[in-house]
């Protein structure tokens, strides 16, 4: 064994203790670590001939690279719908690295860690009050969850015309209907060979909504003259967290033939709260659902899961099976995730979610959801009272979409947000809503409190003064 590697092995406990203490220090100081940083490094480094060893490498990391890190797990990081990792999920993530499993099979001599994933999916279905008619698995994020779901939808679409797209490629146009898809869904259409521009936009409900207009949806369905199609609907749109009417869409399924996919990356967690579960009423009728865990479940990146009805498992296998690997056995008799997902190699991503679900239960997550939504309303009210700002849309759940008051200030929105983020006390993301520049604040972090709202509002007022608006 290499001498430095042997030295690290002998000193492993001390090395991990140093890393643990550094992690604790970071997490205990999230309030003071900037939410934004202009730090930079020259990435063109020369690889050391003999290696530094873990402790010296940790020292270099602290000196050169740690300043690049921002408090994205912190309570005032409101951009990108970013959750913070709960203590239990950090434990699960660390242990996932320690055990270092390639999570594939539920019954195999080489390891059956996929049983943990099956159990975690079952816990999530219980949390979200969804039936066991769904088969689920973990992927890196909402993009890969959407990709998995829409990949199976693409196979379903081909089969309606007697074609096997997975084997033969796409040979006919694939009809996609959607109103306000997340950019990741559009990206998936590109990756799946359907085309990022090849979808039909359905109108949204009037009166400042992002949800599907059901009258226009049915009109566009009729224009297809009985041809099958794929519907991409939303449980929590990216700007305003708006929801499509799933019960009404379910009734359309009784009249028309289509694959129904729901992008519920963060909005699906509305099901956890008695106050908001009506927003997802009827979503159990969908063929596939995307849900992110590193958003409102508050576990470390990369974590999301797909849900696809078990009745479609053959379509899923046809789409993702390693057909040139006979040693893997019959995919129906020997379940293996590599036959139903894009990845062949996959870490035990379910473990952080399992730890967090077990540690905090339904009540713990209900508190997180309802605290986040209450803070979003509190922030919206504070914006109105502060003057200088205006809401761009109603607050449906946890996203607050707002802008500077007055059309004359549209030219100042980008500069305002850049200056606000540069101060490092809060981070929010820019957006465009109904052709106006805006700002989006997403409340999903379990650490956020009313005091954080107070700090954020003060920072925003000061930034307005700095710009002399």
């Amino acid at each position: 064994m290499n001498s430095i590697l042997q030295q690290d092995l002998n000193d492993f406990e001390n090395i991990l203790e140093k890393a643990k203490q550094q992690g604790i220090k970071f997490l205990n100081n999230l309030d003071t670590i900037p939410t934004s940083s202009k730090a930079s490094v020259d990435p063109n480094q020369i690889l050391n001939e003999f290696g530094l060893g873990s402790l010296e490498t940790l020292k270099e990391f602290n000196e050169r690279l740690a300043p690049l890190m921002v408090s994205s797990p912190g309570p005032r990081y409101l951009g990108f719908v970013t959750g913070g990792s709960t203590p239990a999920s950090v434990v699960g993530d660390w242990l996932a690295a320690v055990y270092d499993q390639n999570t594939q099979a539920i019954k195999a001599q080489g390891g059956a860690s996929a049983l943990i994933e099956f159990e975690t999916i079952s816990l999530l279905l219980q949390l979200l009050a969804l039936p066991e008619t769904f088969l689920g698995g973990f992927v890196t994020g909402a993009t890969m969850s959407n990709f998995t779901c829409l990949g199976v939808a693409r196979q379903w679409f081909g089969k309606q015309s007697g074609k096997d797209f997975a084997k033969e490629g796409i040979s006919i146009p694939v009809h996609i209907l959607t109103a306000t898809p997340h950019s990741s869904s559009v990206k998936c259409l590109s990756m799946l060979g359907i085309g990022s521009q090849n979808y039909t936009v359905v109108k949204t409900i009037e009166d400042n909504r992002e949800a599907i207009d059901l009258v226009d949806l049915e009109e566009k369905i009729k224009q297809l003259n009985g041809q099958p199609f794929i519907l991409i609907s939303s449980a929590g749109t990216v700007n305003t967290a708006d929801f499509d009417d799933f019960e009404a869409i379910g009734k359309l399924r009784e009249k028309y033939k289509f694959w129904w996919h729901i992008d519920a990356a963060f909005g699906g967690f509305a099901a956890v709260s008695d106050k908001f579960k009506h927003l997802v009423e009827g979503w159990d009728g969908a063929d596939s659902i995307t849900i992110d865990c590193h958003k409102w479940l508050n576990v470390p990146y990369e974590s999301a899961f797909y849900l696809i009805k078990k009745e479609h498992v053959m379509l899923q296998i046809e789409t993702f099976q390693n057909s040139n690997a006979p040693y893997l056995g019959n995919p129906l008799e020997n379940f293996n995730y590599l036959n139903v997902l894009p990845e062949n190699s996959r870490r035990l991503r379910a473990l952080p979610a399992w730890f967090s679900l077990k540690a905090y239960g339904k009540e713990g997550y209900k508190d997180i959801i309802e605290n986040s939504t209450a803070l979003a309303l509190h922030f919206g009210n504070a914006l109105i009272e502060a003057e200088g700002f205006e809401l761009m849309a109603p607050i449906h759940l946890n996203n607050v979409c707002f802008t500077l008051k007055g059309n004359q200030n549209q030219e100042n929105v980008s500069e305002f947000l850049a200056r606000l983020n540069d101060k490092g006390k809060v981070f929010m993301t820019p957006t465009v809503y109904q052709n106006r520049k805006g700002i989006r604040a997403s409340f999903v972090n379990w650490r956020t409190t009313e005091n954080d709202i107070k700090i954020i509002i003060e920072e925003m007022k000061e930034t307005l003064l700095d710009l002399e608006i």
Side-chain angles (χ1 to χ4, degrees):
M1 182 183 292
N2 173 272
S3 60
I4 294 180
L5 190 56
Q6 180 69 61
Q7 181 181 325
D8 273 2
L9 179 59
N10 295 341
D11 198 27
F12 204 11
E13 185 175 350
N14 180 44
I15 292 167
L16 291 180
E17 180 63 27
K18 295 282 189 185
K20 182 190 80 172
Q21 293 302 325
Q22 179 165 328
I24 291 171
K25 182 179 178 181
F26 175 78
L27 293 174
N28 283 346
N29 289 281
L30 283 174
D31 279 349
T32 58
I33 295 170
T35 54
S36 186
S37 173
K38 291 186 176 181
S40 184
V41 296
D42 180 0
N44 299 307
Q45 298 293 305
I46 297 173
L47 179 63
N48 186 284
E49 185 70 26
F50 300 104
L52 302 174
S54 291
L55 291 179
E56 280 301 310
T57 301
L58 181 61
K59 181 180 178 182
E60 180 178 334
F61 170 82
N62 289 333
E63 292 172 353
R64 292 186 56 249
L65 305 183
L68 298 173
M69 307 299 172
V70 297
S71 60
S72 53
R76 295 189 297 278
Y77 196 92
L78 308 180
F80 308 115
V81 200
T82 303
S85 302
T86 62
S89 72
V90 172
V91 173
D93 200 56
W94 284 11
L95 287 178
V98 169
Y99 285 104
D100 196 22
Q101 303 294 292
N102 184 11
T103 302
Q104 299 287 4
I106 60 172
K107 184 180 179 181
Q109 286 184 315
S113 60
L115 286 170
I116 298 171
E117 192 158 337
F118 263 56
E119 181 172 316
T120 308
I121 292 296
S122 177
L123 295 175
L124 286 163
L125 289 174
Q126 293 173 56
L127 180 71
L128 301 170
L130 283 168
E132 293 279 350
T133 51
F134 287 98
L135 175 69
F138 277 77
V139 288
T140 56
T143 301
M144 287 312 297
S145 179
N146 280 326
F147 180 84
T148 303
C149 294
L150 293 174
V152 182
R154 181 189 66 175
Q155 185 72 353
W156 171 88
F157 184 93
K159 285 300 180 76
Q160 305 313 301
S161 300
K163 299 180 181 297
D164 187 336
F165 285 171
K167 288 182 178 179
E168 303 161 2
I170 299 174
S171 54
I172 55 175
V174 180
H175 304 299
I176 309 285
L177 300 184
T178 187
T180 50
H182 188 269
S183 59
S184 66
S185 291
V186 177
K187 181 177 182 177
C188 291
L189 298 182
S190 171
M191 294 191 293
L192 288 165
I194 296 171
S196 60
Q197 295 183 343
N198 289 337
Y199 63 92
T200 299
V201 178
V202 180
K203 291 179 182 178
T204 54
I205 300 172
E206 295 181 359
D207 297 326
N208 204 359
R209 294 285 304 278
E210 288 188 299
I212 287 175
D213 181 320
L214 291 157
V215 174
D216 189 58
L217 173 60
E218 187 159 16
E219 180 60 34
K220 286 184 167 57
I221 292 173
K222 290 176 179 177
Q223 291 172 11
L224 290 172
N225 296 317
Q227 297 179 78
F229 65 95
I230 298 168
L231 175 68
I232 303 175
S233 60
S234 298
T237 54
V238 68
N239 277 326
T240 68
D242 205 350
F243 286 71
D244 293 327
D245 186 336
F246 300 137
E247 289 186 299
I249 292 173
K251 291 178 181 176
L252 288 175
R253 290 288 296 280
E254 299 171 6
K255 299 167 61 178
Y256 306 102
K257 183 187 296 184
F258 61 95
W259 180 284
W260 179 15
H261 174 62
I262 300 176
D263 186 337
F266 64 90
F269 289 102
V272 180
S273 167
D274 290 338
K275 295 179 181 179
F276 298 104
K277 65 182 181 181
H278 66 278
L279 294 171
V280 293
E281 196 70 39
W283 71 326
D284 56 324
D287 294 290
S288 58
I289 303 174
T290 281
I291 301 182
D292 240 331
C293 293
H294 54 236
K295 288 184 169 66
W296 228 340
L297 199 69
N298 280 251
V299 305
Y301 279 98
E302 309 154 334
S303 183
F305 62 100
Y306 73 85
L307 294 172
I308 298 175
K309 285 285 178 63
K310 291 178 180 178
E311 65 192 72
H312 301 307
V313 67
M314 275 310 303
L315 294 173
Q316 201 168 349
I317 290 169
E318 289 170 4
T319 304
F320 295 112
Q321 180 187 16
N322 281 319
S323 56
N324 62 340
Y327 60 87
L328 295 173
N330 186 323
L332 286 178
E333 293 178 2
N334 305 298
F335 181 87
N336 194 309
Y337 269 114
L338 65 79
N339 287 318
V340 295
L341 284 174
E343 304 151 311
N344 282 9
S345 302
R346 50 200 307 273
R347 76 193 302 262
L348 186 49
R349 287 194 194 95
L351 200 56
W354 183 89
F355 262 86
S356 208
L357 289 164
K358 283 284 188 175
Y360 311 116
K362 290 182 179 180
E363 194 63 29
Y365 276 101
K366 177 184 175 183
D367 286 348
I368 291 174
I369 302 309
E370 294 189 350
N371 182 60
S372 296
T373 51
L375 289 171
L377 288 172
H378 182 53
F379 179 62
N381 290 330
L383 283 175
I384 295 169
E385 292 174 4
E387 300 180 346
F389 306 98
E390 61 180 86
L391 295 178
M392 302 182 79
I395 300 173
H396 301 290
L397 193 66
N398 65 317
N399 277 3
V400 182
C401 190
F402 68 99
T403 191
L404 301 182
K405 183 176 286 185
N407 287 330
Q408 74 279 7
N409 280 319
Q410 276 289 289
E411 63 185 27
N412 297 317
V413 173
S414 298
E415 178 66 16
F416 168 82
L417 182 58
R419 290 201 187 192
L420 178 68
N421 285 342
D422 280 345
K423 288 184 174 185
K425 289 286 185 69
V426 60
F427 183 83
M428 292 184 261
T429 42
T431 191
V432 174
Y433 181 69
Q434 295 187 343
N435 298 316
R436 296 180 71 206
K437 290 182 179 179
I439 300 168
R440 191 192 64 178
S442 297
F443 291 85
V444 289
N445 192 299
W446 64 277
R447 293 175 179 266
T448 310
T449 66
E450 286 191 11
N451 188 56
D452 291 304
I453 304 297
K454 181 179 179 182
I455 294 170
I456 293 167
I457 292 294
E458 288 304 314
E459 290 292 303
M460 293 172 67
K461 287 179 177 178
E462 289 180 12
T463 306
L464 278 181
L465 290 173
D466 292 343
L467 285 173
E468 298 181 347
I469 294 176

